[in-house]
Amino acid sequence: QVQLVESGGGLVQPGGSLRLSCAASGSIFTINVMGWYRQVSGKERELVATITSGGITNYADFVKGRFTISRNNAENTLYLQMNSLKPDDTAVYYCNCNARRYYYGDWVNYWGQGTQVTVSS
């Protein structure tokens, strides 16, 4: 199996910053796309940002210019630097990756357990 563990969430005031981290472990042959998603209770999970193994990034419009996604391929870690946070950014943030466990294995989507980010004064 592949495990994803997020960290770095918490309470921050509007305009503040947080850095989320996600560590992938387990039986991993290779990881293709990694990403961050978020979900507010009662709403659908939505994409925040993704990054390919080659470093190509994609951002939701509502975070462009404020959030930066990055990854360390050698360590199978993913990061999300969040600046200029707003109350609307309050959500549970989930790490996601698309990985193969073996050379001839299927690509499988994995999710972390999530980390709470609360933006409030």
Side-chain angles (χ1 to χ4, degrees):
Q1 274 290 3
V2 175
Q3 295 83 38
L4 299 176
V5 178
E6 303 100 333
S7 60
L11 174 64
V12 63
Q13 292 187 343
S17 298
L18 280 176
R19 188 183 191 225
L20 303 183
S21 300
C22 172
S25 63
S27 178
I28 300 172
F29 174 71
T30 187
I31 297 176
N32 184 4
V33 180
M34 300 187 80
W36 291 98
Y37 293 73
R38 69 187 190 186
Q39 187 170 23
V40 176
S41 180
K43 295 187 177 181
E44 290 189 356
R45 192 171 297 186
E46 60 182 1
L47 180 146
V48 175
T50 61
I51 184 168
T52 68
S53 58
I56 297 173
T57 58
N58 177 56
Y59 293 93
D61 287 343
F62 53 78
V63 301
K64 283 183 180 177
R66 300 190 298 125
F67 292 9
T68 301
I69 190 170
S70 61
R71 66 190 279 179
N72 182 320
N73 290 331
E75 297 182 356
N76 288 332
T77 53
L78 178 70
Y79 305 97
L80 185 68
Q81 178 66 44
M82 304 186 294
N83 299 327
S84 303
L85 283 160
K86 307 174 182 179
D88 284 349
D89 294 318
T90 296
V92 178
Y93 284 71
Y94 294 92
C95 176
N96 171 270
C97 81
N98 195 239
R100 293 170 73 178
R101 296 178 60 198
Y102 310 103
Y103 183 79
Y104 293 108
D106 293 330
W107 289 101
V108 178
N109 216 29
Y110 296 93
W111 292 94
Q113 292 298 308
T115 184
Q116 177 70 46
V117 171
T118 302
V119 184
S120 175
S121 55

